[in-house]
Structure formats: C-alpha cells, structure tokens
Amino acid sequence: MKKIESIVFRSRWLLAPFFLGLILALFILLGKFLKELFWLVYSFAEISKNDSLISILTLLDVTLIACLIIIIVFSGYDIFVSKFSHIESDKKPGWVGKVTFSDLKLKLITAIVAISSVELLRAIINIDNNTNDVMMWKVGVHITFVFTGVFFALTDYIVSKKGQGH
C-alpha cells in the first residue's frame, strides 16, 4: 500500500511536461505578437482605422492568452506539482503560492470571457465581413462564457459561505 501511495504521489510530476509545453506555446504566441506588431508598425500609414483597431485587438488578444498561460503554468505547477521554494520571494509575483484551485478556475474563466470580448469586438468592427449567423454564434458563445463565469463565482461564493457555518 505504501508503494502504491508513493507512486500515486510522484505521478504529479507527469504534469511538468504539460507546463513546459505551455511555456513553448508562449514562444509561439510571442512570434505571432511580434509578426502582428511588425505589420501594424510597417503598414501604419496605409491601413484604415478599422484595420488598425483589428490589429491592436489582435495584439491585446494574444497578450491576454499569454497572461492566461502564465497564470495556468505558475498556479498549476505550484498547486499540483511543487512549490516554488528555490525562487527568492521578492522575485515571485505576489499571487504565486496564494492562488487556490478555485481561484485558478475563476481566473481562467475571467480570462476566457475577456478573450471572448476582444474577439466579439473584433467581429463587430469587422462586421461587413461577418454573416448574421457568425455574429449570432459569437454572441451566443460569449454569453455562454459570461454565464459560466457568473455560475462559477456564485458556486464559489456559496461554498465559501457554507464553510463559514452559514
């Protein structure tokens, strides 16, 4: 039994390659960000207001996704694999080590709602290139994400009150 528990406990390290893969994805996002930024700067004089707004929203979208990846990597590693004990505390972001799984879930859905908002805004700015069906799907998906976020927050609120004896 002790051997099985040891194997199960050590299996948490199988998550480390997933987090390393997400770090690799950050480099890919950085390439996309730099490509879009270069295009925006290079095309600045010739592009329309709508194209510049769409490009800026793309930069914002990629940045939000990168922040989401960092939150997941740091928090997930800290929660599920190992604490960041070898990093000096003054170099760690203040939230590292303080984020619970519930907090991570809310941060994740909040970031998804923000990303969805940017995508919806991009579609609205570029409305001439979108059909009514596409717009309805985008609005529907966004509303679903918003309701999911509210439901998660409400569930966590109820659970936290229950834990306080209410």
Side-chain angles (χ1 to χ4, degrees):
M1 188 60 112
K2 191 173 185 176
K3 188 81 162 164
I4 292 172
E5 289 177 2
S6 177
I7 290 170
V8 169
F9 183 70
R10 291 179 187 190
S11 70
R12 73 190 190 284
W13 286 99
L14 292 173
L15 289 172
F18 290 95
F19 295 126
L20 293 173
L22 287 174
I23 292 167
L24 179 61
L26 276 175
F27 285 105
I28 294 166
L29 279 174
L30 177 61
K32 181 170 176 49
F33 181 89
L34 292 174
K35 179 182 173 187
E36 188 70 27
L37 183 62
F38 178 76
W39 179 84
L40 179 62
V41 170
Y42 183 75
S43 306
F44 175 72
E46 297 91 39
I47 61 175
S48 68
K49 178 182 171 186
N50 281 359
D51 286 342
S52 64
L53 285 174
I54 289 170
S55 184
I56 291 167
L57 286 172
T58 300
L59 293 173
L60 180 62
D61 197 26
V62 172
T63 302
L64 286 171
I65 293 170
C67 290
L68 177 61
I69 289 173
I70 287 294
I71 290 169
I72 291 171
V73 168
F74 279 36
S75 299
Y77 186 88
D78 189 69
I79 293 168
F80 298 112
V81 179
S82 181
K83 299 292 180 198
F84 289 104
S85 58
H86 295 93
I87 308 296
E88 297 172 32
S89 61
D90 63 332
K91 296 200 192 279
K92 282 193 247 182
W95 52 269
V96 173
K98 297 175 184 158
V99 176
T100 65
F101 182 68
S102 179
D103 296 333
L104 181 58
K105 185 175 57 175
L106 287 175
K107 287 181 186 312
L108 176 65
I109 193 65
T110 302
I112 289 171
V113 168
I115 291 164
S116 174
S117 298
V118 169
E119 181 61 32
L120 187 57
L121 185 56
R122 185 183 313 149
I124 290 169
I125 289 171
N126 203 16
I127 200 156
D128 294 338
N129 296 334
N130 290 304
T131 65
N132 283 341
D133 287 345
V134 169
M135 291 302 294
M136 285 177 50
W137 273 106
K138 288 185 182 213
V139 168
V141 167
H142 180 69
I143 289 171
T144 302
F145 286 148
V146 169
F147 280 124
T148 301
V150 170
F151 179 72
F152 279 171
L154 183 61
T155 303
D156 283 347
Y157 175 77
I158 291 168
V159 169
S160 73
K161 289 298 179 188
K162 186 177 181 183
Q164 294 175 2
H166 295 232

